[in-house]
Amino acid sequence: MTYEGTDADVGLAAGRVAYAAGGRLIVDGITLAPRPGSTLGLLGPNGSGKSTLLRLLSGVLAPASGVVTLDGTPLPRVGRRETARRLAVVDQHASTQVELTVREVVALGRVPHRRPWSASTAADERAVQEALDRTALADRAGQSWHTLSGGERQRAHIARALAQAPRELLLDEPTNHLDIQHQLDLLNLIASLPVTTVIALHDLNLAAMFCDEILVLKEGRAYAHGTPAEVITEPLIADVYGVRARVTPPADPADPLDHPSVRFLRSPPLPGPTAS
């Protein structure tokens, strides 16, 4: 089932966006409009266009054709400052050379809400502390960001996005470098937020557990869209990822907490040398 989009006048939407680099179409005519407050997962192999699509949605890249809108208004007309207040982004490889504490990194999320050169307010401090608490980083607040592990750095950037208090949240592989417990904790947190979330993931089982809808990309195009039970199938996995898998469907498709589960299969062994 291909994705045709929904009401583009509410929230974040993209209409037939395309982007090319090096003479190659990386994103080719994608349309999406996640339901406000829902979690939309982007799936697809490396090079399928997931990260580029997220950059188009955030306004970091301008589409060669098509349009990205907030409440029906194209992003260039919304403006950078208002977009930054509305929309938070967590990149896959966010870094900084500046010596900052964890609290200072998280406090960067409040910058779009303050006038230039103005001091932080009590509301800013509360937002930062709540974000630290929700990501289990309160005890690291005074620590240098550079001394954190890869997973802790990722959680700090999640906290920065939460402190921003966005209505839309874009995340590119946020579970990278996280152990299983923190992957589940983080995605439970993201799924519970009253925001519209678009999240690129590699793990099909995590996508099935936490996403309301899934959009599968293949070679820059929308290959399939629907609920996890509709999208995550053995033929799709074989065609998009080129691997064999067994998919166990949800026992109760009407239960929103039930979901399909994927078990990948080893490829058959290569034939041995024939006897001479």
Side-chain angles (χ1 to χ4, degrees), residues 144-183:
S144 167
W145 182 84
H146 291 282
T147 65
L148 299 180
S149 68
E152 290 168 334
R153 291 185 183 188
Q154 189 74 329
R155 279 193 283 148
H157 284 297
I158 297 288
R160 172 188 52 77
L162 296 182
Q164 194 172 329
R167 284 171 53 186
E168 287 84 18
L169 178 60
L170 308 179
L171 305 106
D172 192 1
E173 295 291 342
T175 56
N176 277 0
H177 311 298
L178 298 181
D179 59 36
I180 294 173
Q181 178 187 354
H182 284 112
Q183 286 183 23

Side-chain angles (χ1 to χ4, degrees), residues 34-120:
R35 290 179 291 106
S38 68
T39 299
L40 170 65
L42 299 180
L43 295 181
N46 289 338
S48 60
K50 300 187 301 296
S51 295
T52 300
L53 178 57
L54 286 173
R55 293 189 183 103
L56 291 168
L57 294 175
S58 69
V60 171
L61 295 177
S65 62
V67 63
V68 177
T69 60
L70 278 175
D71 296 339
T73 302
L75 283 189
R77 286 172 46 196
V78 174
R80 289 182 178 272
R81 185 173 181 81
E82 183 58 32
T83 299
R85 289 176 175 172
R86 277 279 305 265
L87 195 153
V89 180
V90 178
D91 287 324
Q92 191 174 158
H93 303 295
S95 185
T96 178
Q97 301 301 317
V98 180
E99 187 62 37
L100 297 173
T101 66
V102 174
R103 180 178 292 277
E104 288 169 335
V105 168
V106 176
L108 293 173
R110 300 303 302 168
V111 170
H113 298 280
R114 300 205 307 262
R115 290 178 296 178
W117 313 112
S118 64
S120 62

Side-chain angles (χ1 to χ4, degrees), residues 204-205 207-210 228-229 248-252 255-262:
L204 274 64
N205 282 304
M209 289 175 68
F210 293 101
T248 303
D252 181 4
D255 183 354
L257 296 181
D258 204 351
H259 53 82
S261 61
V262 181

Side-chain angles (χ1 to χ4, degrees), residues 1 212-214 224-233 236 250 260:
M1 177 171 55
D212 300 304
E213 303 172 278
I214 290 174
H225 166 261
T227 66
E230 292 170 333
V231 169
I232 298 178
T233 64
L236 179 140

